[in-house]
Amino acid sequence: MQGPASFLRHPLQASFSKPDCLIVFPAGFGCARAAAGKRWGVTETSPQRIGLFGGTFDPVHRGHIAIAREARRAARLERIVLLPCRTSPHKTDALPPTPGDERLRMLALATAGLAWAEVSDFELRQPSPSWSWVTVRHFQEMMPEADLFWILGADQWEAITQWARPETLRSALTFVVFPRPPHPAPHPRPGWRPIVLDTVHPASATAVRHRLAQAGPPDPDLDPAVNEFIRRHGLYRAP
Ligand code: ATP
């Protein structure tokens, strides 16, 4: 049986033979993937500083992209993997999110010009809810040599000790934390490794969904290609 290191050397072969172990896309996603002109999956060389960016991304907005860019620059990340969740354990009273395939495709469009960004369907293929510690374990097994970073806003940093298995997260990750007014400014936590950055972006997916339900696309906080996708697929319309 192949170990994680061979997966990295033979990513495409491994993605077909062991689909639960790699960044792959569901059948039928090839067109959007090709259209976006991106490289997918684990590449030949193994970068050492990897940013993991989990979220609902319903939809992905300019705030997400702004903090990913800044995290990459400030933490010198070679790659950032954006991971739309199946459902968030933190949003238990929210409506079910937009189907994962559509959120994934919007992420592909929003990151199409960013060579360092990859989109993973890993959490979409796991049972619900999506546990970040499962994702982190997966990447640790797949890239045992890598330094893993987790990108998040101050709203999530506030609650991080209530996430499942915080000890697994604390020991595995450096956190790249962004302010998110009106949430309290990110503060240090003994024993945790945060890099606190000062880029503030006001976008929120809740506000975007609300505006889309009122007025429809285009929305100023969305990439034009995402606006067009939403228009074509009739997403986020008021019931
Ligand atoms: P919603 O409004 O539906 O809760 P959201 O805008 O917070 O969504 P998510 O996909 O849930 O978006 O967020 C994923 C991650 O990105 C979280 O860690 C969140 O804190 C962070 N994030 C999202 N938008 C911003 C922003 N504008 N500034 C800083 N962090 C952000």
Side-chain angles (χ1 to χ4, degrees), residues 57-61 98 102-103 105-107 109-110 205 208-209 211-213 215-238:
F57 299 108
D58 192 12
V60 56
H61 54 63
T98 302
E102 286 168 335
R103 288 182 286 127
R105 292 171 73 178
M106 290 189 279
L107 273 161
L109 292 168
V208 168
R209 289 194 301 275
R211 286 194 299 266
L212 289 171
D219 187 277
D221 278 336
L222 300 182
D223 184 284
V226 174
N227 269 316
E228 177 55 18
F229 183 91
I230 289 169
R231 191 193 62 72
R232 254 191 300 123
H233 293 263
L235 304 180
Y236 305 110
R237 287 187 182 147

Side-chain angles (χ1 to χ4, degrees), residues 132-155:
S132 300
W133 69 266
V134 173
T135 305
V136 170
R137 281 273 168 83
H138 169 72
F139 278 87
Q140 279 183 315
E141 281 165 18
M142 202 171 64
M143 304 174 170
E145 305 299 326
D147 279 344
L148 298 179
F149 295 73
W150 191 277
I151 300 165
L152 77 175
D155 52 319

Side-chain angles (χ1 to χ4, degrees), residues 1-154:
M1 187 155 119
Q2 289 179 313
S6 7
F7 288 167
L8 293 175
R9 280 200 299 277
H10 303 290
L12 293 177
Q13 185 184 348
S15 71
F16 291 116
S17 62
K18 231 178 156 196
D20 56 333
C21 292
L22 274 176
I23 302 167
V24 291
F25 276 78
F29 193 63
C31 294
R33 191 164 61 172
K38 292 187 60 73
R39 283 181 305 115
W40 302 103
V42 176
T43 44
E44 291 292 316
T45 52
S46 170
Q48 292 304 297
R49 296 168 73 84
I50 305 293
L52 304 178
F53 189 6
T56 311
F57 299 108
D58 192 12
V60 56
H61 54 63
R62 291 193 193 278
H64 294 125
I65 301 301
I67 68 171
R69 271 185 204 283
E70 182 56 14
R72 172 178 176 257
R73 190 198 63 75
R76 290 178 290 109
L77 304 177
E78 281 144 282
R79 268 201 282 165
I80 295 182
V81 185
L82 296 102
L83 292 133
C85 64
R86 186 154 172 179
T87 60
S88 168
H90 319 300
K91 297 183 180 174
T92 45
D93 47 0
L95 291 171
T98 302
D101 183 53
E102 286 168 335
R103 288 182 286 127
L104 198 62
R105 292 171 73 178
M106 290 189 279
L107 273 161
L109 292 168
T111 60
L114 307 174
W116 44 267
E118 296 190 16
V119 184
S120 166
D121 69 347
F122 174 76
E123 292 192 355
L124 296 173
R125 290 183 290 111
Q126 303 302 305
S128 203
S130 308
W131 301 114
S132 300
W133 69 266
V134 173
T135 305
V136 170
R137 281 273 168 83
H138 169 72
F139 278 87
Q140 279 183 315
E141 281 165 18
M142 202 171 64
M143 304 174 170
E145 305 299 326
D147 279 344
L148 298 179
F149 295 73
W150 191 277
I151 300 165
L152 77 175

